[in-house]
Amino acid sequence: MKFLAGVGWLCVGLIQMQAMAVSFEDERQQYNDCVLQYVSPAEEPAAITWLLNACRELYLDNILLTDKDKAYYQCLLDFMSQSSRLEATLSIKQACQDKHRSFLR
């Protein structure tokens, strides 16, 4: 009887691990889609860095993100991907920060 219970718990653990692997694959695909959509048109090096970070934060490291954080990163993606000059990139970053984050962050 104990053996069957142990096998049952092992099966539950394997199913959970498989679900986590599928979830990670989905997140990785969303990250890759984000990079292709938003990073590929960017020309300015600082913009590329912040866009890659935004994709990573939104699709890979998103466990502790607040709604404000998500809106901030999406703002960067929406407006920074066409930036070709550092001045514009910095202005976009500041505008997204002012709009979506508190002054304490």
Side-chain angles (χ1 to χ4, degrees):
M1 186 62 127
K2 288 183 180 183
F3 174 75
L4 290 176
V7 169
W9 282 111
L10 179 62
C11 289
V12 168
L14 289 173
I15 290 169
Q16 288 176 339
M17 286 176 51
Q18 184 179 14
M20 287 174 25
V22 168
S23 175
F24 179 74
E25 287 177 25
D26 290 343
E27 289 173 351
R28 189 68 182 177
Q29 184 60 46
Q30 290 174 330
Y31 169 79
N32 289 332
D33 290 343
C34 180
V35 170
L36 292 173
Q37 180 177 354
Y38 296 104
V39 179
S40 63
E43 296 177 14
E44 207 287 309
I48 292 169
T49 299
W50 283 316
L51 291 166
L52 286 170
N53 183 59
C55 288
R56 185 178 51 256
E57 289 293 329
L58 287 172
Y59 297 106
L60 297 178
D61 299 333
N62 58 3
I63 294 173
L64 299 176
L65 284 185
T66 65
D67 288 340
K68 286 184 176 187
D69 290 332
K70 290 176 187 177
Y72 167 72
Y73 290 120
Q74 190 60 52
C75 181
L76 294 181
L77 293 174
D78 291 341
F79 296 102
M80 197 178 280
S81 64
Q82 299 300 317
S83 178
S84 60
R85 297 190 49 112
L86 180 58
E87 296 83 3
T89 299
L90 294 173
S91 294
I92 292 166
K93 185 176 186 311
Q94 187 63 52
C96 289
Q97 188 161 336
D98 290 348
K99 184 174 182 176
H100 297 290
R101 288 183 155 177
S102 71
F103 64 94
L104 298 175
R105 217 156 154 174

